[in-house]
Amino acid sequence: MRLLRPSPRPSRVAAAWIGFVCLARIGAAQPADAPSRGDAHRLVWHGHIEDSDFYVTRAKSAGDVNRLPQPFSHEHSIKVDFEYVQETAPDGSVSWPRRRISWSIEGTQGDDTFTESCHGGGSLDLGSSRKDQDLTAEQRQAMQASCEFKKLATAFRPYGHLPSRPPLPRLPGLSEFDESCAYREEHGTERTSIWLTPDVEAVVEMDTKPGTAYARFVPEPGKFVELTVKTVPPFPARFRFVIDRDHTSAFPGYAGNAWIDKWFFKRYHLEHLADEYKDSSPDLIFDKLNFQGRGWSTVTQEVVETSEPLSSATARVSAMDYGAIGKVRVYFQCQCGARSSSGGQTAWTPARIVVGGNAREAVSIPLDEDNNLMADALEDYKGDPGRDDDDTPAGDGTRGDGLTAFEEYRGFLVEGFACQDPMSDEHIRTTPRHKHLFVYASAGPMEPNDHSDPDWTEAWDLWNERTDTDLEQYVEDFFAWGADLSVIPVCKRHLQDVDTVIAKVQHWTASDEYLPVPPESRVVNFTIGGRELWAGPIQFEGQTVHRGPQHGVVIGYDNLKPRIAHGLAIPTEPGTSMGSPKRTAIVLIARDFSRSVELLATIHEMGHAVGIPHHSDSRKDWKAVAGALDVTPGLSPLQAAGLPLSSQENAPGPSEKLDALVIEPCGICREGDPGTVYRKGRFAGCRVGWIVRRGQQESGDTGCPMAYFFADVYEPPGVRATWRWRDVVTDAPNLRPDPSSQREHWWNVDAWGGELLRWESEFTDVMNYQARFCSSTAGTHENAGTGERNLAGDAGRSEPCRNFIVVNDNAETDPK
Amino acid sequence: MKTRSLAPAVGPGPLGSWDDFKAGSPVVLEEDGGYRLWYRGCHFLGADYGCGVGQATSKDGVAWQKGEAPVFVPADPFEREHLDAIAVARGKDGYVLWYSVSSAAQAGRHRATIRAARSKDGRSWVPAGAVVYEAVSQGWPLRPVALWRDGRYHLWLVDSRSAIDPKTRLFPEMPSDGDDALLHFVSEDGMKLTPAGSTPTRAVGMGREALWVGPEPSGGFRALFYEQTPSGSARPGVAVLRSADGSNWERAPAEAMPLPVSDLNHSGPPGISLSALPAKAGLFAWFGVRSRRGSEAIRVAFRKEAT
């Protein structure tokens, strides 16, 4: 670290030299209103010092040799900028009327015996003085970094200390300057550059009053903000505008679910950038279309420079991402003297930035005075960009929808007029207060395109993107209303890798418990981490912008496989996985039922996709926990043996699957009634398919889409169906079962007894009554009837459906 | 070293040009009866600092004609700012450029890396993309040197052999001959390096100096490096190593070439890079030297040797 040391030359001699070399030349080009203070000459010394070092070596032994196994690491980074104004009076005396310095200093070092860290930074107006190096004790103290030394062991190892103060400017003698009034040096890890300019400053003033273009600016690809810089007082200078890459976003893609592709350039009329703008490019650029003509000498996406000295210049900064956020720095360059024959020039000096009357180091685009990476123009997006605390609907208490406020601000491309036409895609910013769910409703043929067949052209790809308008309506209008979620229809391209899901589901059968799709498939916020799809969190400027992948839901008609149910929400994992959308590989809805049934099945299965179990079941540790459940031929052996329904044990007998259930003779089953069966020639009861039990699938709010409506026979209040026997029955007393014949007249059955009753369901058209997920477990309609006219009673669990809804795929990592 | 001729060969460009502060890390190849030089050039003014690779040509090895623009500039700003040293070799399908990028903990890059680029003509370079080599030691520079021989590339660099164990977070016990070694790699394409062998640097009395390696007509290799502060009573100059296979090196003290630092007009800190080529009746050597202010220039020396 360099310490303050005296200038090698007397300052009076130096001043005379400056006056001759620089000011005399400046005077020739000086306009009438250039700075003039009597006959005094003013010159500005600008400087930049940078020193950074890093190494890891072996810790020192007692003999001061680096040979121990413990590592010793050292790291420091120092930056200093200064601006000293030198005034030479007519009598040749020199003073320093203005001195400013800013610095940052960071350092850490240590081994297993100690750690030391230093941190500091700031800026000081050093005021005027007779000598450039004069500092008060207070000023020296202010530059002292805050250092902490921790002793971890008693051993002492001789290391040097970290730099705890920035190196102070050492102004070289003028003979050390080159003909362009610049001085540069590098010693070890430290670089210093000093250059001289006339006493002129450049200023960029950004008006932030409501209604001004800057205050209203919200980034969209192709939209721009204008920055104007002026020299004060007016003086010829060249200007340079720089996108500060270190503080400017370069989020891959241009929205949460849209990569830079040919449609991007077409949609935003940016075709002229198609060969040069990439996913990795900065989100703010200088669009060359805005810098045509002779006024600009250097034009790149990151830097533009004016070609000739002017007293002002205006540059347009274009956004290329809906979440673009960054800093633009502006510099000016006055010739120290007349331009030298070698074209020499001074270094670029930062312009003074004033934003809404306040000094800033750079211009933030968009205006972001609260430094939350989001445009101040949008009131919805105040506060922490990394928060994900959408609180409606409350659901299971998990806040958020898996999207940070920044991701909701950056927004998503969604289906426009038609998915076959990418140009019709629309961009939306979603509110960070309400939970959203993205749904792709495939119209089929649900055939993936692996592009191995040349006949699958892009047009075919796009045709394959089309969505099913019925399913979309069911989901967007009815499911969304029922769940109080904001459901956003998207195209296949708006979710990650839907093709793989569709490819895999072609081979799925009803005997498969789940569909193992890649975890990255179906993700909607897939661009921000790049092609690698980071798990998160991802930060920018020290603030979280992404917490993890959030999945949408893929839904389609099951038109390729035998009908197995009204609908299915196929989980991604074995077991009874249930929770946020990442746990549902795909929702399949059976065709050929009535629209009402399709609608209800859609809402019901979508309910599963957001974590809602049946009224009989609850959910724990992201798995559905089954209740007692209605008695069905499939479950009867377990229910008969009293085994839990999740049991992996084989229930005792039968060797074959049961064909049906029988209820023993009772008030609703007399010989001759529908379904009459015989066992060994004697009347044994009536064949049924389903016994509704109290508090199970049909229970609770009958208007809730999660309630079943398969009423056949049921347990009235106070009655409990009990298993009686298992045998073969026939539909005629004198018929003998013939294993070689089809089971049209004999069946393997379980018989259940009890005073069961028959129920005639009054299923109404849900298109009219618009089901909402229940907010109470209490029975309604037929489940609220009095006496024995009560079908299934209250739901058999403690929470209603609305209290299970969860959209946030980060629910496990983000506590409620 | 008997200096017959010593003159500035390539210096920094005018202020504002891409190499206005440094021209160093020379690599010279003999071509078409003349010489081609690749060098690292750096621009420095104000807060702007960035480097690239430039090229110059010469008929006699002494007077050089620089190209106006760099022939290669890394696309990544970090790499531009931390471009450290280069190596160039001509293979059967063209040229390969290796360039080292120094570390910077503040940028999260804790180890120096070597990257590569290809060229058909030595002027138009295409980056290879992936990192060719990542240093074992953290925070220390890499200075590669390379050549093509026997149908494959040979690349040498000095690095630590003692990586920190990620589980214990400790270095291994230090080998009796030190951590650092002169590592020898071979490669068919210049991109995928296969370790061929190594020699502990302590065994040959060198540190982390920049090295030049050349093939010997009779087989084997000769390496040169500049010792600014040699041990014992030896004088500053060019030290010589020899190896039959490129992996096992021995010092050849009798071949050392004394050359005072003052003869090189070197006034900066230690760290002289060099390239050399046998010439008629002697040896040409080009040195990358530093001024007191840290700027760099390339100077040329000639050692007359008995034929």
Side-chain angles (χ1 to χ4, degrees):
Chain A
M1 188 180 84
R2 180 174 304 111
L3 295 175
L4 184 67
R5 68 177 189 231
S7 170
R9 292 168 179 273
S11 59
R12 192 179 175 99
V13 175
W17 220 86
I18 294 164
F20 177 76
V21 171
C22 299
L23 291 184
R25 294 184 187 176
I26 290 168
Q30 198 168 343
D33 52 356
S36 176
R37 295 161 185 82
D39 291 322
H41 294 157
R42 281 194 169 196
L43 197 64
V44 186
W45 296 62
H46 307 268
H48 179 79
I49 305 171
E50 197 162 329
D51 180 6
S52 63
D53 195 13
F54 163 69
Y55 56 87
V56 179
T57 185
R58 290 174 180 273
K60 285 186 174 180
S61 67
D64 199 14
V65 179
N66 296 94
R67 69 178 186 192
L68 295 180
Q70 291 81 9
F72 167 78
S73 67
H74 171 99
E75 172 184 344
H76 76 255
S77 175
I78 300 169
K79 286 184 183 176
V80 177
D81 287 286
F82 63 88
E83 185 182 290
Y84 285 13
V85 176
Q86 181 188 42
E87 184 168 289
T88 306
D91 64 359
S93 63
V94 170
S95 63
W96 300 84
R98 194 171 77 230
R99 296 174 302 157
R100 293 193 189 117
I101 186 167
S102 62
W103 73 96
S104 66
I105 182 165
E106 301 286 343
T108 60
Q109 67 175 10
D111 59 12
D112 59 319
T113 65
F114 80 102
T115 61
E116 182 184 14
S117 62
C118 290
H119 164 83
S123 58
L124 271 182
D125 185 342
L126 300 175
S128 62
S129 72
R130 300 302 302 173
K131 292 181 180 175
D132 59 298
Q133 298 160 0
D134 284 349
L135 291 178
T136 65
E138 290 77 19
Q139 288 167 342
R140 288 178 187 280
Q141 181 61 33
M143 290 186 192
Q144 191 70 33
S146 166
C147 293
E148 186 178 19
F149 187 91
K150 285 184 186 169
K151 193 80 180 155
L152 304 175
T154 53
F156 173 74
R157 294 174 189 155
Y159 302 106
H161 280 292
L162 283 169
S164 59
R165 240 178 43 173
L168 295 171
R170 183 190 69 86
L171 304 185
L174 281 164
S175 61
E176 298 187 62
F177 279 73
D178 58 33
E179 62 174 359
S180 299
C181 313
Y183 171 86
R184 301 162 295 164
E185 69 173 28
E186 180 183 85
H187 288 293
T189 58
E190 183 181 304
R191 267 186 227 126
T192 301
S193 182
I194 300 171
W195 62 101
L196 305 174
T197 70
D199 186 16
V200 172
E201 68 170 355
V203 181
V204 178
E205 283 193 272
M206 302 300 291
D207 190 347
T208 60
K209 285 195 283 294
T212 57
Y214 180 48
R216 284 188 286 114
F217 181 78
V218 177
E220 284 182 31
K223 291 206 168 181
F224 59 80
V225 172
E226 289 191 337
L227 275 67
T228 297
V229 59
K230 297 174 181 173
T231 46
V232 179
F235 194 90
R238 291 180 66 220
F239 299 100
R240 185 186 211 201
F241 299 81
V242 178
I243 306 288
D244 184 346
R245 283 292 301 264
D246 290 344
H247 299 284
T248 296
S249 62
F251 301 125
Y254 60 98
N257 60 348
W259 298 113
I260 302 292
D261 57 14
K262 68 174 184 180
W263 305 108
F264 168 82
F265 297 108
K266 204 170 171 185
R267 182 178 298 114
Y268 303 106
H269 309 294
L270 296 168
E271 290 92 337
H272 56 285
L273 298 173
D275 291 335
E276 54 199 77
Y277 190 79
K278 312 288 181 199
D279 269 321
S280 57
S281 301
D283 294 336
L284 296 174
I285 66 162
F286 298 109
D287 182 346
K288 60 187 177 189
L289 215 56
N290 294 324
F291 297 90
Q292 294 175 325
R294 290 186 303 169
W296 301 93
S297 58
T298 297
V299 177
T300 69
Q301 289 185 358
E302 296 171 37
V303 179
V304 289
E305 292 173 6
T306 56
S307 53
E308 295 298 326
L310 302 164
S311 59
S312 72
T314 298
R316 290 177 171 177
V317 182
S318 300
M320 298 294 275
D321 189 303
Y322 285 100
I325 178 73
K327 299 270 196 278
V328 177
R329 296 181 186 274
V330 185
Y331 302 86
F332 72 110
Q333 185 183 64
C334 296
Q335 288 171 248
C336 175
R339 185 181 287 270
S340 70
S341 56
S342 63
Q345 54 204 21
T346 59
W348 293 100
T349 304
R352 188 158 60 88
I353 308 289
V354 181
V355 175
N358 300 307
R360 297 284 182 262
E361 286 193 357
V363 179
S364 172
I365 295 177
L367 176 63
D368 180 26
E369 288 290 89
D370 57 358
N371 292 312
N372 73 345
L373 312 178
M374 299 181 279
D376 292 351
L378 298 180
E379 284 293 326
D380 260 2
Y381 303 97
K382 300 291 184 192
D384 178 8
R387 74 184 190 277
D388 179 20
D389 54 1
D390 316 53
D391 52 7
T392 58
D396 71 347
T398 304
R399 291 157 72 95
D401 53 12
L403 304 170
T404 62
F406 181 81
E407 287 175 313
E408 308 231 37
Y409 161 82
R410 191 186 184 207
F412 300 88
L413 255 62
V414 301
E415 182 182 2
F417 174 70
C419 284
Q420 300 95 296
D421 177 13
M423 287 296 286
S424 75
D425 282 358
E426 292 174 4
H427 174 265
I428 59 166
R429 299 180 196 267
T430 51
T431 170
R433 292 193 292 268
H434 195 86
K435 295 174 185 174
H436 297 86
L437 181 68
F438 294 81
V439 177
Y440 167 58
S442 171
M446 298 185 73
E447 292 176 36
N449 181 4
D450 62 5
H451 296 91
S452 59
D453 183 344
D455 290 339
W456 285 86
T457 61
E458 181 184 90
W460 186 231
D461 264 352
L462 293 176
W463 174 246
N464 212 19
E465 285 266 352
R466 69 195 192 282
T467 54
D468 186 281
T469 50
D470 283 346
L471 283 178
E472 275 189 346
Q473 186 197 8
Y474 299 159
V475 172
E476 188 181 9
D477 293 348
F478 293 86
F479 166 72
W481 189 83
D484 194 24
L485 287 169
S486 175
V487 173
I488 300 170
V490 294
C491 305
K492 190 167 64 159
R493 59 181 167 273
H494 299 143
L495 298 180
Q496 172 90 350
D497 194 18
V498 172
D499 274 338
T500 298
V501 178
I502 292 175
K504 282 183 172 280
V505 82
Q506 310 301 312
H507 306 291
W508 187 84
T509 66
S511 60
D512 294 329
E513 196 180 357
Y514 67 105
L515 185 66
V517 295
E520 65 272 20
S521 65
R522 302 156 290 128
V523 169
V524 67
N525 53 347
F526 57 80
T527 59
I528 199 163
R531 302 278 174 178
E532 299 302 317
L533 198 78
W534 290 19
I538 293 173
Q539 293 200 322
F540 177 70
E541 292 288 80
Q543 303 189 73
T544 299
V545 294
H546 171 81
R547 304 180 84 85
Q550 174 61 32
H551 294 70
V553 175
V554 179
I555 185 171
Y557 279 113
D558 173 28
N559 55 356
L560 296 177
K561 290 177 285 298
R563 181 190 307 165
I564 52 176
H566 296 306
L568 288 168
I570 306 176
T572 55
E573 296 174 351
T576 50
S577 174
M578 180 170 283
S580 62
K582 70 178 176 184
R583 300 174 188 281
T584 298
I586 191 168
V587 172
L588 296 179
I589 303 300
R591 257 197 215 285
D592 302 333
F593 288 99
S594 67
R595 265 175 72 83
S596 299
V597 174
E598 282 182 10
L599 167 60
L600 194 53
T602 301
I603 305 172
H604 180 101
E605 301 305 334
M606 287 297 299
H608 286 321
V610 293
I612 308 176
H614 294 133
H615 283 187
S616 49
D617 307 338
S618 56
R619 197 183 78 206
K620 187 179 181 190
D621 298 332
W622 309 108
K623 290 187 182 302
V625 180
L629 300 187
D630 294 337
V631 183
T632 62
L635 295 175
S636 181
L638 283 171
Q639 292 164 319
L643 291 171
L645 299 181
S646 59
S647 173
Q648 299 298 312
E649 295 179 43
N650 289 323
S655 57
E656 290 185 75
K657 210 171 86 173
L658 291 180
D659 301 312
L661 303 173
V662 162
I663 55 169
E664 285 193 332
C666 61
I668 59 163
C669 175
R670 295 189 171 84
E671 188 170 11
D673 283 346
T676 293
V677 292
Y678 298 88
R679 180 189 185 198
K680 297 182 178 68
R682 290 173 177 269
F683 172 57
C686 300
R687 187 163 52 89
V688 298
W690 192 288
I691 301 171
V692 173
R693 308 193 84 163
R694 304 207 63 71
Q696 302 309 306
Q697 291 97 313
E698 290 77 5
S699 64
D701 183 348
T702 60
C704 174
M706 299 313 289
Y708 277 17
F709 47 89
F710 306 129
D712 193 352
V713 296
Y714 69 100
E715 297 173 337
V719 172
R720 179 74 172 167
T722 53
W723 181 80
R724 302 289 200 211
W725 45 263
R726 175 171 301 138
D727 208 342
V728 176
V729 296
T730 61
D731 60 357
N734 53 358
L735 193 68
R736 289 181 178 277
D738 176 5
S740 64
S741 67
Q742 288 194 344
R743 298 184 183 190
E744 293 176 354
H745 302 291
W746 64 273
W747 302 271
N748 283 319
V749 299
D750 267 5
W752 291 73
E755 283 302 320
L756 305 176
L757 298 177
R758 281 193 187 279
W759 186 269
E760 297 299 327
S761 174
E762 295 176 6
F763 177 66
T764 55
D765 189 345
V766 290
M767 298 291 277
N768 294 328
Y769 74 70
Q770 292 194 335
R772 298 200 72 156
F773 291 99
C774 59
S775 54
S776 163
T777 56
T780 64
H781 299 90
E782 56 263 43
N783 288 337
T786 55
E788 63 183 19
R789 298 305 298 168
N790 184 306
L791 176 62
D794 296 344
R797 63 177 188 219
S798 59
E799 297 289 340
C801 287
R802 297 180 77 82
N803 291 11
F804 285 96
I805 294 173
V806 56
V807 177
N808 187 346
D809 276 338
N810 303 313
E812 291 115 299
T813 50
D814 289 355
K816 292 180 181 179
Chain B
M1 189 171 189
K2 293 178 181 173
T3 306
R4 176 174 175 181
S5 167
L6 189 66
V10 174
L15 195 68
S17 63
W18 74 275
D19 61 348
D20 65 6
F21 191 59
K22 291 179 180 173
S25 190
V27 179
V28 180
L29 296 180
E30 198 168 3
E31 285 189 355
D32 302 329
Y35 299 92
R36 287 177 81 178
L37 163 71
W38 289 265
Y39 66 98
R40 180 195 69 157
C42 299
H43 161 75
F44 175 33
L45 191 57
D48 292 340
Y49 182 86
C51 303
V53 177
Q55 196 193 58
T57 54
S58 171
K59 289 182 179 173
D60 58 8
V62 177
W64 290 86
Q65 184 68 40
K66 278 206 302 186
E68 281 191 10
V71 293
F72 177 74
V73 178
D76 180 353
F78 178 88
E79 291 181 20
R80 290 201 292 272
E81 192 177 340
H82 293 83
L83 176 57
D84 193 15
I86 65 166
V88 177
R90 184 177 59 240
K92 66 174 179 188
D93 295 324
Y95 299 81
V96 177
L97 161 72
W98 295 267
Y99 60 98
S100 65
V101 178
S102 55
S103 59
Q106 299 77 21
R109 306 204 194 191
H110 291 83
R111 290 179 171 82
T113 54
I114 293 178
R115 293 173 178 272
R118 299 175 197 274
S119 173
K120 287 286 181 193
D121 58 7
R123 291 184 181 83
S124 302
W125 294 91
V126 178
V131 169
V132 173
Y133 181 83
E134 183 175 58
V136 169
S137 52
Q138 297 183 55
W140 301 93
L142 293 173
R143 298 194 174 103
V145 57
L147 58 80
W148 169 267
R149 185 169 197 184
D150 299 332
R152 57 185 182 171
Y153 292 101
H154 295 255
L155 188 136
W156 293 266
L157 54 88
V158 175
D159 194 7
S160 171
R161 297 173 290 173
S162 303
I164 294 176
D165 183 330
K167 289 181 183 167
T168 62
R169 304 176 76 84
L170 294 174
F171 285 104
E173 281 301 317
M174 182 184 270
S176 59
D177 45 10
D179 288 324
D180 289 350
L182 174 55
L183 309 178
H184 176 211
F185 299 90
V186 293
S187 173
E188 298 294 322
D189 60 359
M191 306 296 141
K192 187 177 181 207
L193 304 182
T194 304
S198 66
T199 297
T201 53
R202 192 179 289 178
V204 291
M206 69 177 291
R208 287 188 169 239
E209 293 92 347
L211 201 69
W212 172 82
V213 179
E216 287 293 278
S218 55
F221 301 90
R222 176 168 63 157
L224 309 180
F225 64 94
Y226 190 85
E227 276 187 313
Q228 202 162 334
T229 52
S231 60
S233 58
R235 286 182 289 164
V238 178
V240 181
L241 307 179
R242 287 203 172 268
S243 170
D245 58 4
S247 297
N248 298 291
W249 293 88
E250 288 185 350
R251 186 128 180 167
E255 299 179 42
M257 309 169 199
L259 179 64
V261 171
S262 56
D263 277 8
L264 289 170
N265 274 6
H266 180 84
S267 54
I272 295 174
S273 52
L274 79 165
S275 183
L277 280 178
K280 196 174 179 181
L283 179 76
F284 260 129
W286 295 268
F287 296 88
V289 297
R290 290 190 147 207
S291 73
R292 185 172 54 82
R293 289 192 198 164
S295 65
E296 289 179 3
I298 297 169
R299 294 186 172 271
V300 60
F302 183 79
R303 173 185 166 85
K304 188 174 181 182
E305 292 176 334
T307 54

